[in-house]
Amino acid sequence: PKRQRLKGARDELEKTQAALHEKQAALAEVEGKIAHLQNMYEKSVNEKESLKHNMAQTAARLTRAGKLMSALGDEQVRWQESVQKFESEIGNVVGDVLVAAACVAYYGAFTSNYRAELVAGWIERCRELGIPVSDDLSLVKILADAYEIRQWNEDGLPRDSVSTENAVLVTRGRRWPLMIDPQDQANRWIRQKESANGLKVIKLTDPTYLRTLENAIRIGMPVLLEEVGESLDPSLEPVLLRQTFMQGGRLLIRLGDSDIDYDKNFKFYMTT
Protein backbone atom coordinates (compact mmCIF):
# COMPACT_ATOMS: atom_id res chain seq x y z
CA PRO A 1 0.00 0.00 0.00
CA LYS A 2 2.81 2.45 0.74
CA ARG A 3 4.30 1.84 -2.69
CA GLN A 4 0.94 2.48 -4.27
CA ARG A 5 0.56 5.69 -2.32
CA LEU A 6 4.14 6.65 -3.32
CA LYS A 7 3.35 5.95 -6.94
CA GLY A 8 0.14 7.98 -6.67
CA ALA A 9 2.02 10.85 -5.05
CA ARG A 10 4.63 10.79 -7.79
CA ASP A 11 1.95 10.83 -10.47
CA GLU A 12 0.27 13.71 -8.70
CA LEU A 13 3.65 15.54 -8.46
CA GLU A 14 4.31 15.05 -12.14
CA LYS A 15 0.88 16.45 -12.99
CA THR A 16 1.43 19.36 -10.66
CA GLN A 17 4.89 20.09 -12.15
CA ALA A 18 3.48 19.85 -15.65
CA ALA A 19 0.77 22.34 -14.71
CA LEU A 20 3.44 24.56 -13.10
CA HIS A 21 5.57 24.54 -16.26
CA GLU A 22 2.51 25.35 -18.30
CA LYS A 23 1.62 28.27 -15.99
CA GLN A 24 5.24 29.47 -16.00
CA ALA A 25 5.28 29.43 -19.80
CA ALA A 26 2.01 31.36 -19.86
CA LEU A 27 3.44 33.84 -17.35
CA ALA A 28 6.59 34.32 -19.46
CA GLU A 29 4.39 34.92 -22.51
CA VAL A 30 2.35 37.50 -20.60
CA GLU A 31 5.50 39.19 -19.31
CA GLY A 32 6.84 39.31 -22.88
CA LYS A 33 3.62 40.95 -24.03
CA ILE A 34 3.83 43.40 -21.14
CA ALA A 35 7.45 44.30 -22.06
CA HIS A 36 6.40 44.73 -25.71
CA LEU A 37 3.50 46.95 -24.68
CA GLN A 38 5.80 48.92 -22.37
CA ASN A 39 8.21 49.52 -25.26
CA MET A 40 5.33 50.58 -27.49
CA TYR A 41 4.11 52.91 -24.76
CA GLU A 42 7.54 54.50 -24.28
CA LYS A 43 7.90 54.86 -28.06
CA SER A 44 4.48 56.50 -28.27
CA VAL A 45 5.36 58.88 -25.44
CA ASN A 46 8.63 59.82 -27.19
CA GLU A 47 6.77 60.35 -30.45
CA LYS A 48 4.26 62.50 -28.62
CA GLU A 49 7.02 64.65 -27.12
CA SER A 50 8.72 64.91 -30.51
CA LEU A 51 5.45 65.97 -32.12
CA LYS A 52 4.90 68.56 -29.39
CA HIS A 53 8.40 69.92 -29.98
CA ASN A 54 7.86 69.97 -33.74
CA MET A 55 4.53 71.71 -33.27
CA ALA A 56 6.11 74.38 -31.08
CA GLN A 57 8.99 74.79 -33.54
CA THR A 58 6.60 75.01 -36.48
CA ALA A 59 4.42 77.53 -34.66
CA ALA A 60 7.50 79.66 -33.93
CA ARG A 61 8.55 79.42 -37.57
CA LEU A 62 5.08 80.46 -38.69
CA THR A 63 5.22 83.44 -36.34
CA ARG A 64 8.62 84.48 -37.64
CA ALA A 65 7.49 83.91 -41.21
CA GLY A 66 4.47 86.12 -40.60
CA LYS A 67 6.69 88.88 -39.20
CA LEU A 68 9.08 88.49 -42.13
CA MET A 69 6.25 88.67 -44.65
CA SER A 70 4.97 91.80 -42.96
CA ALA A 71 8.43 93.35 -42.97
CA LEU A 72 9.00 92.38 -46.59
CA GLY A 73 5.66 93.90 -47.47
CA ASP A 74 6.86 97.18 -45.99
CA GLU A 75 10.22 96.83 -47.74
CA GLN A 76 8.53 96.26 -51.10
CA VAL A 77 7.57 99.91 -51.27
CA ARG A 78 11.13 101.00 -50.52
CA TRP A 79 12.53 98.55 -53.06
CA GLN A 80 10.18 99.82 -55.73
CA GLU A 81 11.26 103.37 -54.99
CA SER A 82 14.93 102.28 -55.10
CA VAL A 83 14.40 100.55 -58.45
CA GLN A 84 12.81 103.68 -59.88
CA LYS A 85 15.67 105.78 -58.50
CA PHE A 86 18.30 103.44 -59.97
CA GLU A 87 16.56 103.41 -63.35
CA SER A 88 16.52 107.20 -63.31
CA GLU A 89 20.22 107.33 -62.35
CA ILE A 90 21.12 104.86 -65.10
CA GLY A 91 19.23 106.99 -67.61
CA ASN A 92 21.08 110.12 -66.43
CA VAL A 93 24.54 108.56 -66.10
CA VAL A 94 25.94 110.25 -69.23
CA GLY A 95 25.09 113.78 -68.11
CA ASP A 96 25.96 113.08 -64.47
CA VAL A 97 29.42 111.75 -65.30
CA LEU A 98 30.00 114.61 -67.76
CA VAL A 99 29.19 117.25 -65.13
CA ALA A 100 31.20 115.36 -62.49
CA ALA A 101 34.21 115.33 -64.81
CA ALA A 102 33.79 119.07 -65.33
CA CYS A 103 33.70 119.53 -61.55
CA VAL A 104 36.97 117.64 -61.13
CA ALA A 105 38.57 119.69 -63.90
CA TYR A 106 37.40 123.18 -62.90
CA TYR A 107 35.98 123.14 -59.35
CA GLY A 108 39.15 123.47 -57.33
CA ALA A 109 39.74 127.21 -57.23
CA PHE A 110 36.16 128.33 -56.54
CA THR A 111 34.02 128.90 -53.46
CA SER A 112 30.96 126.87 -52.52
CA ASN A 113 28.47 129.39 -53.95
CA TYR A 114 30.26 129.72 -57.26
CA ARG A 115 30.59 125.93 -57.52
CA ALA A 116 26.81 125.66 -57.18
CA GLU A 117 26.37 128.26 -59.92
CA LEU A 118 28.76 126.34 -62.18
CA VAL A 119 26.88 123.07 -61.70
CA ALA A 120 23.54 124.76 -62.31
CA GLY A 121 24.87 126.27 -65.54
CA TRP A 122 26.31 122.96 -66.72
CA ILE A 123 23.05 121.14 -65.97
CA GLU A 124 21.09 123.75 -67.91
CA ARG A 125 23.49 123.44 -70.85
CA CYS A 126 23.14 119.64 -70.83
CA ARG A 127 19.38 119.98 -71.03
CA GLU A 128 19.67 122.41 -73.94
CA LEU A 129 21.76 119.81 -75.77
CA GLY A 130 19.35 116.99 -74.90
CA ILE A 131 21.80 115.22 -72.58
CA PRO A 132 19.95 113.46 -69.71
CA VAL A 133 21.16 114.71 -66.34
CA SER A 134 19.94 114.51 -62.73
CA ASP A 135 18.22 117.50 -61.14
CA ASP A 136 19.94 117.04 -57.75
CA LEU A 137 23.38 116.22 -59.11
CA SER A 138 26.13 116.04 -56.50
CA LEU A 139 29.84 115.49 -57.09
CA VAL A 140 30.11 113.60 -53.81
CA LYS A 141 27.27 111.19 -54.65
CA ILE A 142 28.74 110.36 -58.04
CA LEU A 143 32.44 110.00 -57.27
CA ALA A 144 32.51 108.93 -53.60
CA ASP A 145 30.70 106.54 -51.30
CA ALA A 146 29.63 106.75 -47.68
CA TYR A 147 32.29 104.31 -46.42
CA GLU A 148 35.13 106.21 -48.08
CA ILE A 149 33.84 109.55 -46.76
CA ARG A 150 33.57 108.12 -43.25
CA GLN A 151 37.18 106.91 -43.51
CA TRP A 152 38.27 110.40 -44.61
CA ASN A 153 36.51 111.91 -41.61
CA GLU A 154 38.24 109.45 -39.30
CA ASP A 155 41.55 110.54 -40.83
CA GLY A 156 40.83 114.15 -39.88
CA LEU A 157 38.94 115.57 -42.86
CA PRO A 158 36.36 118.19 -41.75
CA ARG A 159 32.77 117.05 -42.23
CA ASP A 160 31.49 120.05 -44.20
CA SER A 161 30.45 119.61 -47.84
CA VAL A 162 33.20 121.80 -49.28
CA SER A 163 35.93 119.76 -47.57
CA THR A 164 34.34 116.54 -48.81
CA GLU A 165 34.22 117.91 -52.36
CA ASN A 166 37.85 118.94 -52.07
CA ALA A 167 38.77 115.43 -50.92
CA VAL A 168 37.05 114.04 -54.02
CA LEU A 169 39.08 116.42 -56.19
CA VAL A 170 42.30 115.33 -54.45
CA THR A 171 41.63 111.60 -54.83
CA ARG A 172 39.94 111.53 -58.25
CA GLY A 173 41.87 114.15 -60.23
CA ARG A 174 44.66 113.17 -62.62
CA ARG A 175 46.73 116.20 -61.63
CA TRP A 176 48.70 116.35 -58.41
CA PRO A 177 46.71 118.55 -56.01
CA LEU A 178 47.89 121.83 -54.54
CA MET A 179 45.84 122.59 -51.42
CA ILE A 180 45.58 126.15 -50.08
CA ASP A 181 45.73 125.25 -46.42
CA PRO A 182 45.95 128.20 -43.98
CA GLN A 183 44.66 126.11 -41.05
CA ASP A 184 46.75 122.97 -41.80
CA GLN A 185 43.58 120.87 -42.08
CA ALA A 186 44.56 119.33 -45.42
CA ASN A 187 48.10 118.74 -44.20
CA ARG A 188 46.89 116.80 -41.16
CA TRP A 189 44.41 114.85 -43.25
CA ILE A 190 47.02 113.79 -45.82
CA ARG A 191 49.49 112.83 -43.08
CA GLN A 192 46.90 110.61 -41.39
CA LYS A 193 45.47 109.23 -44.63
CA GLU A 194 48.81 108.17 -46.08
CA SER A 195 50.63 107.29 -42.86
CA ALA A 196 50.14 103.57 -43.42
CA ASN A 197 51.68 103.86 -46.90
CA GLY A 198 54.98 105.31 -45.70
CA LEU A 199 54.32 108.98 -46.44
CA LYS A 200 57.42 111.11 -46.99
CA VAL A 201 57.16 114.80 -45.99
CA ILE A 202 59.47 117.28 -47.70
CA LYS A 203 59.97 121.04 -48.04
CA LEU A 204 61.60 123.01 -50.82
CA THR A 205 64.09 124.27 -48.26
CA ASP A 206 65.31 120.74 -47.48
CA PRO A 207 68.74 120.19 -49.08
CA THR A 208 67.92 116.55 -49.96
CA TYR A 209 64.29 116.87 -50.94
CA LEU A 210 64.98 115.85 -54.57
CA ARG A 211 66.74 112.69 -53.38
CA THR A 212 63.77 111.85 -51.14
CA LEU A 213 61.37 112.51 -54.00
CA GLU A 214 63.42 110.35 -56.36
CA ASN A 215 63.41 107.39 -53.96
CA ALA A 216 59.66 107.72 -53.42
CA ILE A 217 59.05 107.74 -57.20
CA ARG A 218 61.14 104.59 -57.60
CA ILE A 219 59.44 102.70 -54.77
CA GLY A 220 55.91 104.05 -55.28
CA MET A 221 55.45 105.87 -51.97
CA PRO A 222 53.34 109.01 -51.34
CA VAL A 223 55.08 112.35 -50.88
CA LEU A 224 53.74 115.51 -49.22
CA LEU A 225 55.41 118.77 -50.20
CA GLU A 226 54.41 121.27 -47.52
CA GLU A 227 54.84 125.00 -47.00
CA VAL A 228 54.67 125.73 -50.73
CA GLY A 229 55.02 129.40 -51.57
CA GLU A 230 54.06 131.34 -54.69
CA SER A 231 56.58 129.55 -56.89
CA LEU A 232 57.88 125.98 -57.30
CA ASP A 233 61.27 124.61 -58.19
CA PRO A 234 61.45 124.13 -62.02
CA SER A 235 63.00 120.70 -61.42
CA LEU A 236 59.57 119.53 -60.24
CA GLU A 237 57.97 120.24 -63.61
CA PRO A 238 58.33 116.67 -65.00
CA VAL A 239 56.66 115.32 -61.85
CA LEU A 240 53.83 117.87 -61.90
CA LEU A 241 53.15 117.23 -65.62
CA ARG A 242 53.68 113.46 -65.28
CA GLN A 243 56.13 113.47 -68.15
CA THR A 244 56.70 109.71 -68.14
CA PHE A 245 57.93 107.70 -71.11
CA MET A 246 58.65 104.07 -72.00
CA GLN A 247 62.19 102.92 -72.70
CA GLY A 248 63.27 99.31 -72.96
CA GLY A 249 59.97 98.14 -71.49
CA ARG A 250 60.43 100.37 -68.41
CA LEU A 251 58.30 103.34 -67.38
CA LEU A 252 60.69 106.23 -66.71
CA ILE A 253 60.61 109.90 -65.79
CA ARG A 254 63.41 112.47 -66.05
CA LEU A 255 64.18 114.10 -62.72
CA GLY A 256 67.10 116.49 -62.78
CA ASP A 257 69.82 115.03 -65.01
CA SER A 258 68.84 111.36 -64.73
CA ASP A 259 66.06 109.06 -65.87
CA ILE A 260 64.54 107.05 -63.02
CA ASP A 261 61.95 104.26 -62.82
CA TYR A 262 58.42 105.51 -62.23
CA ASP A 263 56.17 103.42 -59.99
CA LYS A 264 52.47 103.96 -60.73
CA ASN A 265 51.67 103.80 -57.01
CA PHE A 266 53.54 107.07 -56.46
CA LYS A 267 51.38 109.95 -55.19
CA PHE A 268 52.28 113.60 -54.80
CA TYR A 269 50.50 116.16 -52.60
CA MET A 270 51.24 119.83 -52.06
CA THR A 271 50.00 122.12 -49.28
CA THR A 272 50.67 125.78 -48.52
Side-chain angles (χ1 to χ4, degrees), residues 90-156:
I90 291 173
N92 296 330
V93 67
V94 175
D96 290 352
V97 172
L98 177 62
V99 175
C103 291
V104 172
Y106 302 109
Y107 240 18
F110 302 115
T111 62
S112 176
N113 293 335
Y114 194 67
R115 288 179 180 183
E117 292 181 12
L118 284 174
V119 171
W122 290 332
I123 291 176
E124 185 63 29
R125 183 57 177 162
C126 286
R127 289 173 179 165
E128 292 175 0
L129 297 174
I131 301 174
V133 63
S134 299
D135 295 329
D136 57 344
L137 188 146
S138 168
L139 174 67
V140 175
K141 291 181 180 178
I142 296 174
L143 295 183
D145 59 72
Y147 174 78
E148 188 175 29
I149 294 172
R150 185 165 57 251
Q151 186 62 50
W152 291 342
N153 295 145
E154 291 178 358
D155 290 336

